Amino acid sequence: MGRSPCCEKAHTNKGAWTKEEDDRLVAYIKAHGEGCWRSLPKAAGLLRCGKSCRLRWINYLRPDLKRGNFTEEEDELIIKLHSLLGNKWSLIAGRLPGRTDNEIKNYWNTHIRRKLLSRGIDPVTHRPINEHASNITISFEAAAAAREEKGAVFRLEEPKAAAIGRDQNPGDWGQGKPLKCPDLNLDLCISPPCPEEPMMKPVKREAGLCFSCSLGLPKSADCKCSNFLGLRTAMLDFRSLEMK
DNA sequence: AATCGTGCCAACCGCCGTACC
DNA sequence: TGGTACGGCGGTTGGCACGAT
């Protein structure tokens, strides 16, 4: 059994949005803010699914959207971010103010893919198409594969984990080797939880760590901590990555 | 002028993670 | 603790615009 539909499909409009629907949605959100998308259509007098409203707002109606052509700088940034993050369009969009994940995804599939292919670069791996033995892949997956192959252990002091490529074996991490995208700073900022952090919702579960986890050691048999290597995974928010 | 092919992009679909009860 | 609802995400599709023939 699948989940029940998010709305009553028999009484909802589909397809392109009309000007009137746009106006209603904008007026409602301006008055009440973004809230519960499920109840929004009814409250706003729209015969639309909540998801559809959310998508329309995020991808088209939001006032901070930057419409128009992508600049050359944006192109290059997207390519670099894609080489590091893969098809994580929402993460990539988070680094391009005013652009949406859908817009970037469409732009990638229609323009950048072709652009890379014309340069002889595989848009999936970011490696030269004819260079099978090339060692220049830069991605999380490649880094993970490299670690797995060599049986390396993930180390907390690893400062540039996000940018490590296959050409940098795990033993070289943190030893000052140049990175493939030196102008991109994608450091993962790992820090202790801040009690005043407004973005963090209160955690119901007991936040204390067992001795092993607090030291970043492998979990003991008795460990009940939900933390990864002693870190609250909620702190690993890619949207907070800083750019140089 | 009509038809066809292609590119583009807004919107939909289905899945996943998480919060809540 | 399990079930459900919800928001969010990535992949895919449908329809429109436009150029070529």
Side-chain angles (χ1 to χ4, degrees):
Chain A
M1 280 291 283
R3 285 174 36 189
S4 57
C6 69
C7 51
E8 183 59 57
K9 295 206 173 195
H11 302 101
T12 56
N13 291 341
K14 288 179 75 173
W17 280 64
T18 65
K19 178 81 172 61
E20 190 191 344
E21 286 177 313
D22 282 349
D23 291 343
R24 278 179 184 269
L25 182 56
V26 170
Y28 183 85
I29 292 177
K30 275 184 178 171
H32 302 92
E34 292 178 46
C36 175
W37 292 109
R38 188 180 172 83
S39 59
L40 184 147
K42 195 174 179 183
L46 289 162
L47 293 174
R48 289 278 180 176
C49 159
K51 273 188 168 187
S52 181
C53 294
R54 174 183 161 272
L55 217 58
R56 182 65 176 171
W57 172 255
I58 289 175
N59 288 332
Y60 200 82
L61 298 173
R62 248 169 49 198
D64 57 327
L65 287 181
K66 186 199 292 183
R67 311 297 300 178
N69 295 338
F70 282 75
T71 65
E72 194 61 33
E73 288 74 26
E74 285 176 315
D75 272 23
E76 294 304 321
L77 185 54
I78 291 169
I79 292 168
K80 284 175 183 172
L81 288 168
H82 185 274
S83 74
L84 292 162
L85 302 170
N87 292 1
K88 302 293 177 191
W89 305 116
S90 60
L91 294 180
I92 294 172
R95 308 310 311 166
L96 284 115
R99 300 295 188 185
T100 69
D101 52 357
N102 204 38
E103 192 178 12
I104 292 170
K105 179 172 60 183
N106 282 333
Y107 187 65
W108 176 271
N109 288 326
T110 56
H111 291 86
I112 300 184
R113 271 176 59 86
R114 212 172 304 148
K115 184 174 174 176
L116 289 179
L117 286 170
S118 73
R119 290 181 187 176
I121 296 171
D122 185 328
V124 177
T125 63
H126 293 262
R127 298 167 70 173
I129 288 168
N130 296 323
E131 200 174 332
H132 297 297
S134 172
N135 287 330
I136 62 168
T137 299
I138 41 176
S139 69
F140 281 122
E141 285 167 17
R147 283 198 288 274
E148 212 163 287
E149 280 169 21
K150 310 227 174 196
V153 176
F154 182 86
R155 296 178 305 170
L156 293 178
E157 67 270 24
E158 184 182 330
K160 298 285 183 184
I164 298 290
R166 240 176 223 162
D167 56 338
Q168 290 175 287
N169 82 49
D172 295 334
W173 293 343
Q175 292 182 18
K177 279 207 167 187
L179 298 165
K180 287 298 174 186
C181 296
D183 52 333
L184 271 182
N185 177 4
L186 288 171
D187 287 0
L188 295 175
C189 299
I190 298 172
S191 58
C194 170
E196 281 82 41
E197 174 59 61
M199 299 297 285
M200 294 282 288
K201 290 185 177 175
V203 179
K204 281 185 186 172
R205 194 180 287 116
E206 171 56 51
L209 301 174
C210 71
F211 181 68
S212 297
C213 286
S214 68
L215 295 177
L217 298 172
K219 285 169 172 268
S220 67
D222 296 327
C223 173
K224 293 184 176 59
C225 299
S226 61
N227 306 285
F228 173 62
L229 292 172
L231 298 164
R232 303 259 290 283
T233 50
M235 299 307 294
L236 292 170
D237 180 357
F238 291 107
R239 288 171 195 268
S240 68
L241 299 174
E242 292 193 9
M243 305 285 294
K244 273 184 182 170

